[in-house]
Amino acid sequence: MNRPDPITVAMQSAIDGGIFPGAVLAIRLRGQLVFQRAFGHAALIPEQEPASLETIYDLASLTKPLATTTAILCLVQDRRLGLDDSLADFLPELKERAVGRVKIFHLLNHSSGLPAWRPLYQTIFAYEQTTPGFLGSQTARRMAIDCIGQEALVYPTGSQSLYSDLGFILLGMLVERISGCSLAVFCRDRVYDPLHVDSLFFLSAGAMVGAGAAMRSIDLVKVAPTEHDSWRGRLLRAEVHDENAYALGGIAGHAGLFGTASAVLMISGCWLQSYLGRNEFLPTDLVRQFTVRQATAGSSWGLGWDTPSAPSSSGTHFSPQSFGHLGFTGTSIWVDPVRELEVVLLSNRVHPTRHSKGMQQFRPLIHDVIYREVTGNCLSSPRKDSG
């Protein structure tokens, strides 16, 4: 009997160690899918359900590069937006606020000066108590803009980077203001449908928004549950885990996207092929500008994408030209354009609670194992298994 390969052993050890209940791992090398497998369970409660290649995960902050950053790049490509434009040029209600003077570049680079996070959902939910239906309304979204606008900048713009959900919430609102439609619909019409990516969408009150035509009748039972949330009083399934995104109706610039590993790989592949000049869908010059580390002191951030730092969740072998992103729910993308290596790992490590431990240590470990196994011994055909 064949011995399990090191990638499988590492993934199974994470499940056995309680890091996540299950996951889907997809790896592509030089355009060839070399590994694709589901591990463990999509759900542990109320009943166990096996993970499969069709399992849909809450992508959390992968929303930032896969939706918001891609949308911003498209608006720049279409000459509807410039990276040196100020936020208030498009959100005039912020004209007299400090953040209104911040450039789009700095929001993408997490160097705007905005704080990392604020519990916007608490303010919005307070109104929901007296005005049912307020959650997710346009008035709630305007309230979020106003609340962020009231924030003092915690450091001078451009002097350093501080990863900020607030900045990406504003970027999502900016896309909507320029395009005249929701972020979900813009991404569908401008990016996902032209690339034939169906299984990538936002969920608003249990309904898919921005999904391709083939996905509009999908069984939402395929969505892996996340946390049993004490605030909402239920196990979260087919609704966004992030509280602020939930308060904004499930469609936000920082979180809210759902999808399968194969769908994520299609978008990462578009970025990679555009980076290499083999795909004209995204301009190579802009892709390279967005994915390269910017000259912000002490920062590894590009524009909407991170680059390897020391230590890095990409491990120790990915080239300095690599770009990637993480999601709080247990998701990640890393792309190495030098080796033409793409790694997508989707899990629901927050199921049934966000207090699971070990993901931070596991991510670099699995990427090191993948690099050694795949680049040193390229598999001749993809391993596809729902084990």
Side-chain angles (χ1 to χ4, degrees):
M1 184 171 59
N2 293 333
R3 297 179 61 187
D5 65 90
I7 297 174
T8 297
V9 170
M11 291 294 293
Q12 189 59 50
S13 70
I15 294 170
D16 295 342
I19 294 175
F20 45 68
V24 176
L25 177 65
I27 306 167
R28 187 159 53 200
L29 180 67
R30 294 190 290 275
Q32 180 185 6
L33 186 65
V34 296
F35 191 101
Q36 187 179 29
R37 183 174 176 184
F39 297 86
H41 293 88
L44 297 177
I45 60 171
E47 297 178 351
Q48 290 188 351
E49 301 171 27
S52 76
L53 298 181
E54 289 72 43
T55 298
I56 297 163
Y57 286 93
D58 181 333
L59 301 178
S61 283
L62 296 195
T63 303
K64 294 179 174 77
L66 298 178
T68 309
T69 298
T70 304
I72 293 289
L73 185 147
C74 288
L75 290 173
V76 174
Q77 176 186 11
D78 298 342
R79 300 185 185 279
R80 303 172 72 181
L81 175 68
L83 293 176
D84 287 332
D85 291 342
S86 297
L87 186 59
D89 293 339
F90 305 95
L91 301 179
E93 60 267 46
L94 297 176
K95 185 176 181 180
E96 303 303 322
R97 307 289 178 84
V99 72
R101 297 187 290 274
V102 169
K103 296 179 179 180
I104 308 308
F105 174 96
H106 293 119
L107 291 166
L108 289 166
N109 184 235
H110 295 286
S111 58
S112 66
L114 281 170
W117 180 83
R118 290 290 186 265
L120 304 176
Y121 70 96
Q122 294 180 355
T123 302
I124 293 171
F125 191 71
Y127 277 81
E128 173 73 15
Q129 302 305 296
T130 56
T131 312
F134 187 75
L135 285 174
S137 67
Q138 288 302 312
T139 306
R141 298 173 78 79
R142 289 192 294 270
M143 177 180 286
I145 294 174
D146 183 65
C147 288
I148 298 172
Q150 294 180 43
E151 291 288 339
L153 301 185
V154 296
Y155 58 86
T157 299
S159 64
Q160 60 178 284
S161 287
L162 175 65
Y163 181 77
S164 176
D165 276 0
L166 302 186
F168 266 78
I169 290 173
L170 293 177
L171 285 172
M173 302 290 191
L174 178 146
V175 172
E176 296 181 342
R177 196 69 63 88
I178 293 174
S179 67
C181 61
S182 72
L183 176 64
V185 170
F186 180 83
C187 289
R188 179 196 68 196
D189 293 347
R190 182 64 175 81
V191 183
Y192 304 154
D193 274 3
L195 292 175
H196 306 290
V197 182
D198 290 323
S199 48
L200 203 59
F201 49 85
F202 289 83
L203 281 171
S204 178
M208 283 176 296
V209 181
M215 291 297 295
R216 291 186 181 124
S217 61
I218 191 171
D219 183 358
L220 292 180
V221 173
K222 292 183 178 179
V223 179
T226 54
E227 190 169 21
H228 191 282
D229 182 15
S230 58
W231 175 57
R232 282 173 261 185
R234 58 183 176 270
L235 178 68
L236 304 182
R237 187 166 201 164
E239 61 179 307
V240 64
H241 178 261
D242 182 272
E243 294 92 344
N244 284 340
Y246 173 77
L248 294 171
I251 303 172
H254 70 299
L257 198 64
F258 287 74
T260 62
S262 60
V264 173
L265 200 61
M266 291 179 74
I267 301 299
S268 72
C270 180
W271 276 84
L272 174 60
Q273 294 305 312
S274 296
Y275 181 103
L276 297 171
R278 300 171 183 165
N279 184 339
E280 297 180 355
F281 187 81
L282 301 176
T284 297
D285 58 340
L286 284 178
V287 167
R288 293 192 174 192
Q289 182 180 3
F290 275 53
T291 55
V292 70
R293 180 178 298 190
Q294 300 298 318
T296 309
S299 170
S300 61
W301 282 99
L303 302 180
W305 290 97
D306 202 3
T307 67
S309 54
S312 172
S313 63
S314 65
T316 59
H317 302 304
F318 275 60
S319 73
Q321 292 83 7
S322 300
F323 53 94
H325 210 287
L326 308 181
F328 182 79
T329 51
T331 58
S332 65
I333 314 169
W334 275 104
V335 179
D336 187 338
V338 174
R339 280 89 182 188
E340 297 184 40
L341 174 64
E342 302 162 73
V343 179
V344 173
L345 173 62
L346 303 186
S347 79
N348 53 340
R349 69 107 193 156
V350 293
H351 177 74
T353 171
R354 69 180 65 191
H355 299 299
S356 64
K357 299 183 183 300
M359 195 68 181
Q360 184 175 2
Q361 293 73 30
F362 177 73
R363 279 176 168 139
L365 181 151
I366 189 61
H367 284 91
D368 279 351
V369 171
I370 289 168
Y371 183 91
R372 290 193 298 268
E373 290 300 307
V374 172
T375 63
N377 181 24
C378 182
L379 306 174
S380 60
S381 60
R383 297 172 186 249
K384 298 181 69 172
D385 196 341
S386 59

